[in-house]
Each structure stands twice: as structure tokens, then as C-alpha cells.
Amino acid sequence: MKLGMVGLGRMGANMTRRLMRGGHEVVVTDLSADNVKHIAGEGAIESASLDDFVTKLGKPRVAWLMVPAGAPTEQTVQTLAQKFQSGDILIDGGNSYFKDDIRRSKQLKDKGIHYVDVGTSGGVWGLERGYCMMIGGPNEAIQYLDPVFKTLAPGRGDIPRTPGRETIAGTAEDGYIYCGPSGAGHFVKMVHNGIEYGLMQAYAEGFDIFRNATSKELPEDQRYDLNLADIAEVWRRGSVVSSWLLDLTAMALADNPTLSEYTGFVQDSGEGRWTIQAAIDEAVPVDVLSAALFTRFRSRQEHTFAEKVLSAMRQKFGGHVEPTVSVKKTS
């Protein structure tokens, strides 16, 4: 299939590469001309502007947006909407707020343009591992795009089948699902990221306890000088708390057990806040998720080893780099 990719950052560029590996033709555009030239050198179709980008797409036109949520996505959607025609498809694969998806889909429906929201998880590892996708939008467009989703998804691989799924149809085992109408994909991805905050916080706090097991406040016979890298590694092997996030923590601790290259300043990208707001709207208690979000706020004032673990995980799975700021540090 021929489609376009708008935005060639960490994920957009690697998604383009995976699509090309799968035999798709990909027209690319980015604010950085160097990014465009670089990926064009690998086989993508270069475009010099959004107008040029649109003219090089096939029919129906399909554009996948991987740009920052908020104003950049809004501006790109509105600009492309003026250039697209009835039957064309706009895909937002970033981390947009699901309520924005609902609004945009209604607006574009009046022009006959299909709007698809795809919550995309996979980070910088997605090129090789594949991308887990949670999809919302009109069925007609979703079915047309299935070859694209199938290429980007991880596939079944060697993951053992969940008992009881033998007679259940669908694409969940391939790594992508249709969640429902417009906004549903990003709604599911939003909660996915909220849960991610909680999981990361639990690991971080646990390793902070280990880090401080040598505290002079403890009786001498209760002090332990623990090897955090070895603990993370052994937990990867048969433990009930093993996970990919733990894998990344083990990598970070093996690189540097003190995580001295991290300050512990932990950002949030919005989905955690939106998850808490959704919980408020539904009157659902989310003690762990809300505490994890608030801890990220506190991390911007003072830092513990737990926050360094959080920063390390974010850098490992998404390539997120801490901002350069003047902050108060604590061990």
C-alpha cells in the first residue's frame, strides 16, 4: 500500500522503516529537511512540503501523523483536511486526547474524510519488536488499513497462547485491536500509559528501598549492601514481577548501578493526567495511578533514587532525555 508519514522523529522514522521492510511505499515529510533526506536515502519517497506530500500520495490518500500531541497535531490535521478529499484517510498515531479525536472525526466526517486514532506503543524498540496498536474510528477505513497495521504490529511471535483464546477470533494476538468508534483507540492508550506510570513507580520505589538498606538509621545487623543490578536480573528469570519495564531497569542498572547520569527529573506527557480525569468523570478510585502521577510532579522539586530509576526506564524504552534544569538533588 502507498501511504504517507508526517513526522520523522524517533517513532515516525522507525515506523517508516518497518513499513518499507513490509513492502509498502511511504511518502515522507518533516519539519527537518535533513530527516526527510536521510529516510529518503533508505528508500522512502521524499517530499518538499505538505502540498508536495499530498500530490505524491495514492488514491485514496492515506496520511499517518506522528507529531507531538496538542497544537502541532491540531495544526497538521487542519492543514491536511483542507487538501484531502472525500474518501481519504487521516491517521493520528500520536498521543492525542481522545476527546480531541471525537471532535476532529465529526469535523472531517462532514467532508467525507475518515479520521482514525491509533494509540501506538513500542517506543524506540518498535522497529524490531513491532508496535502494539489500539485503534479507533470508522470500520470501513480500519478494514482498508489492515495491511498497514499487520505490518507494523509485532505478530504472534513465540508468545505462548493465552488458555481459552483458541476459539476467539480477532487480531489481539497479532498485537493490534479495533477498540471502537472515534477516540476509543486513544482512550485505551491513555489508560495504558496511566498504568505504565503505576508500574514504573512500583519498581522505582522498590529499588529505592534496596538502595537505602545501608541507612545508618537502621540497626547495624539489619543493614544490607545489596547488588541492585543482580536483583533486577534475577527477577527477570521466573519471577512473578518480570516484565519488559524490569528488563529495561536491569539494563540501566547494569550500565551504571548508581544511575548517576540521571537527575531524577521525571516528565509526564499528558496521558497520566487524562487518565486521572477520566477516573474522576467515572467516579473510579485510582489510588496507585494518581500517586504515581503526583510523584512525577514532586520529582521536579527534589530527587530520590526512585526517580532516577524512573528516568532510566523512560530513557531506555522511549529515548526520553531529561531536560537541563537547575534542581535540588538528594541521594
Side-chain angles (χ1 to χ4, degrees), residues 188-200 271-273 275-276 288-290 292-293:
V188 175
K189 177 57 160 56
M190 173 188 75
V191 178
H192 163 286
N193 283 24
I195 292 171
E196 177 187 294
Y197 283 25
L199 291 172
M200 293 172 68
E271 299 88 352
R273 303 184 190 208
T275 299
I276 304 308
V288 171
L289 305 190
S290 58
L293 176 65

Side-chain angles (χ1 to χ4, degrees), residues 16-24 127-128 151:
T16 298
R17 293 183 178 102
R18 190 170 175 91
L19 286 166
M20 290 191 296
R21 287 182 184 179
H24 300 275
L127 175 60
E128 302 302 332
T151 298

Side-chain angles (χ1 to χ4, degrees), residues 55-298:
T55 63
K56 291 181 177 178
L57 296 175
K59 294 290 185 71
R61 299 179 183 89
V62 177
W64 188 303
L65 279 58
M66 290 301 293
V67 297
T73 294
E74 185 69 28
Q75 181 179 354
T76 307
V77 168
Q78 297 304 330
T79 300
L80 286 174
Q82 298 302 314
K83 304 176 187 299
F84 273 28
Q85 299 174 350
S86 179
D88 292 343
I89 304 172
L90 272 177
I91 308 164
D92 179 5
N95 282 323
S96 289
Y97 190 30
F98 76 98
K99 293 183 179 180
D100 288 335
D101 294 321
I102 296 171
R103 171 180 53 80
R104 291 173 189 146
S105 67
K106 290 178 179 177
Q107 174 194 356
L108 297 185
K109 186 177 181 180
D110 292 338
K111 296 187 63 176
I113 299 171
H114 301 298
Y115 180 88
V116 176
D117 55 286
V118 181
T120 310
S121 181
V124 296
W125 299 81
L127 175 60
E128 302 302 332
R129 288 171 55 104
Y131 299 89
C132 172
M133 290 169 289
M134 297 137 270
I135 306 161
N139 262 310
E140 176 186 350
I142 305 304
Q143 292 173 11
Y144 179 79
L145 294 169
D146 190 71
V148 173
F149 300 139
K150 190 176 294 292
T151 298
L152 289 172
R156 301 200 175 194
D158 57 1
I159 298 174
R161 199 164 205 185
T162 300
R165 288 205 66 96
E166 294 83 1
T167 60
I168 300 175
T171 60
E173 292 177 290
D174 296 307
Y176 65 103
I177 59 168
Y178 174 62
C179 299
S182 295
H186 278 147
F187 182 83
V188 175
K189 177 57 160 56
M190 173 188 75
V191 178
H192 163 286
N193 283 24
I195 292 171
E196 177 187 294
Y197 283 25
L199 291 172
M200 293 172 68
Q201 188 63 35
Y203 284 127
E205 290 177 7
F207 281 98
D208 206 7
I209 294 171
F210 293 150
R211 175 73 153 70
N212 287 282
T214 57
S215 172
K216 293 181 180 179
E217 300 298 317
L218 296 169
E220 190 170 350
D221 62 353
Q222 295 178 21
R223 299 175 195 169
Y224 303 108
D225 186 9
L226 300 167
N227 187 316
L228 275 59
D230 279 357
I231 292 172
E233 186 61 34
V234 78
W235 281 359
R236 296 181 62 226
R237 303 172 187 278
S239 166
V240 297
V241 298
S242 59
S243 74
W244 188 44
L245 288 173
L246 181 63
D247 294 346
L248 300 176
T249 303
M251 288 170 56
L253 290 170
D255 289 342
N256 180 358
T258 68
L259 303 182
S260 57
E261 67 269 41
Y262 301 99
T263 66
F265 186 108
V266 187
Q267 295 177 305
D268 69 286
S269 54
E271 299 88 352
R273 303 184 190 208
W274 300 335
T275 299
I276 304 308
Q277 184 58 57
I280 293 170
D281 293 342
E282 299 171 13
V284 174
V286 285
D287 303 45
V288 171
L289 305 190
S290 58
L293 176 65
F294 296 152
T295 298
R296 293 194 175 202
F297 296 163
R298 182 182 59 74

Side-chain angles (χ1 to χ4, degrees), residues 292-311:
L293 176 65
F294 296 152
T295 298
R296 293 194 175 202
F297 296 163
R298 182 182 59 74
S299 79
R300 298 160 203 174
Q301 299 173 347
E302 58 181 73
H303 307 314
T304 64
F305 188 75
E307 277 125 23
K308 292 185 178 185
V309 175
L310 287 175
S311 280

